[in-house]
Amino acid sequence: MGVVVHHRYATVGGRRLFYREAGSAGMPTVVFLHGFPTSSFMFRNLIPQLEGYRVIAPDHLGFGLSDAPSVDEFDYSFDALADLTAGLLEQLGVTRYAIGVQDYGAPIGWRLAVRDPEAVVAVISQNGNGYDEGFVASGWQGIWDYQREQTPENEAALRGVFTLRAIRDQYVTGVEDESILSPDTWHLDHAFLSRPGNAEVQLKLFLNYATNPPLYPALHEWLRTKQVPVLATWGKYDPFFGPDGARAFARDTENAEVHLMEGGHFLLESAGDEVAALIREFLAKHLPTA
């Protein structure tokens, strides 16, 4: 029968969160945390390839099929998104797990790890940054400008990121054969981003992203102290997070395995089977099923 993926909702802190789940309690658990501007949809093809594991992949608040309250109703921050994720895992009885992080999923995952150092036993990072040298300045300049000064000009420049063309660019940049990519991905992301009030949610998180680099030293200390196993599968042409961000993990843990791969920001869309094989091999070593 293979892996059956369930699509479920849970209410955490009064907010309805959507999540995908495979496997069952008692199995070793992997939690996948998605990035901007997507949702757990990005893991739709990966989850069925991880037989023998309980896999949980939520949509962050404001993304995908989870609730998306306005910025007047909810104070969006990476701390708040981490709180909701922790609440979901507590509700599901998950106390020990590996994390798989991409883009925004990384700062959420790092918060979970630093808050509860014994809970997270391994890290899978697919272009999930944790080092200053991982930032590609040309991809971040608009956000940095907005963080420094929230002028109408800086805001207008960032709102351009929410267009269908800009979202598509996130998927196709660095992929040699664009025809292997499913356009459903960027059309779905654009539809969610286009909901009334969602642009303001994303602008709030762009602003709050400034709180993430100051957490990196605590992440590095956790990696060094625990010698946490890390698998970095990195699309090396990512316009936002460069290969130096992947290589840097090896500085803090001797259990780092770094793969710089042909592809871009959303590597699972162009090299999903190859990444899944690396993840299975990594988990077999560090989170065995038997």
Side-chain angles (χ1 to χ4, degrees):
M1 186 175 177
V3 175
V4 176
V5 181
H6 299 272
H7 305 84
R8 295 181 161 133
Y9 289 89
T11 300
V12 180
R15 306 296 177 181
R16 194 168 184 248
L17 301 180
F18 171 82
Y19 65 100
R20 298 167 198 265
E21 183 177 22
S24 58
M27 290 179 169
T29 301
V30 188
V31 177
F32 284 104
L33 302 173
H34 70 81
F36 169 87
T38 186
S39 65
S40 63
F41 185 74
M42 70 171 290
F43 303 117
R44 69 198 179 281
N45 297 323
L46 174 62
I47 296 172
Q49 298 191 60
L50 300 179
E51 191 164 4
Y53 293 91
R54 185 185 189 188
V55 183
I56 298 164
D59 288 357
H60 308 313
L61 194 77
F63 294 80
L65 295 169
S66 288
D67 279 354
S70 72
V71 292
D72 297 325
E73 301 170 271
F74 186 83
D75 187 13
Y76 284 88
S77 68
F78 286 90
D79 280 343
L81 297 184
D83 289 344
L84 288 168
T85 307
L88 175 65
L89 297 180
E90 182 179 3
Q91 197 173 121
L92 297 178
V94 175
T95 57
R96 184 178 186 274
Y97 55 98
I99 51 171
V101 299
Q102 193 264 349
D103 189 73
Y104 275 12
I108 295 169
W110 305 153
R111 281 167 169 78
L112 298 177
V114 170
R115 291 178 188 180
D116 193 351
E118 302 299 327
V120 179
V121 297
V123 171
I124 300 158
S125 176
Q126 191 260 287
N127 298 67
N129 194 50
Y131 293 85
D132 288 337
E133 57 262 55
F135 290 105
V136 177
S138 59
W140 280 88
Q141 196 58 56
I143 293 174
W144 291 339
D145 289 344
Y146 183 65
Q147 289 171 352
R148 191 178 61 252
E149 196 176 6
Q150 293 90 62
T151 63
E153 294 78 15
N154 288 341
E155 180 179 319
L158 272 191
R159 284 180 178 270
V161 174
F162 308 145
T163 64
L164 182 61
R165 181 189 178 101
I167 296 167
R168 178 184 179 276
D169 284 347
Q170 287 202 39
Y171 282 90
V172 304
T173 300
V175 178
E176 187 174 358
D177 180 3
E178 294 175 12
S179 72
I180 67 174
L181 301 175
S182 171
D184 302 281
T185 52
W186 54 83
H187 280 274
L188 185 63
D189 291 351
H190 182 251
F192 285 129
L193 275 177
S194 299
R195 290 174 293 179
N198 199 257
E200 288 69 31
V201 168
Q202 305 306 333
L203 288 169
K204 186 82 180 288
L205 288 172
F206 284 158
L207 204 55
N208 190 254
Y209 202 96
T211 65
N212 295 331
L215 292 177
Y216 290 168
L219 165 69
H220 306 159
E221 176 65 20
W222 172 69
L223 291 170
R224 282 194 300 272
T225 302
K226 299 289 183 184
Q227 285 299 297
V228 181
V230 175
L231 171 67
T233 57
W234 214 270
K236 58 185 176 182
Y237 307 118
D238 187 335
F240 308 105
F241 298 118
D244 285 346
R247 297 186 186 103
F249 284 108
R251 198 165 64 218
D252 288 313
T253 174
E254 294 178 10
N255 298 309
E257 187 181 323
V258 178
H259 298 267
L260 301 178
M261 304 174 73
E262 295 294 318
H265 190 60
F266 290 110
L267 187 63
L268 289 178
E269 297 301 325
S270 60
D273 290 346
E274 295 93 320
V275 173
L278 290 169
I279 290 174
R280 285 195 301 270
E281 185 181 327
F282 174 78
L283 291 175
K285 283 187 283 192
H286 301 292
L287 194 68
T289 57

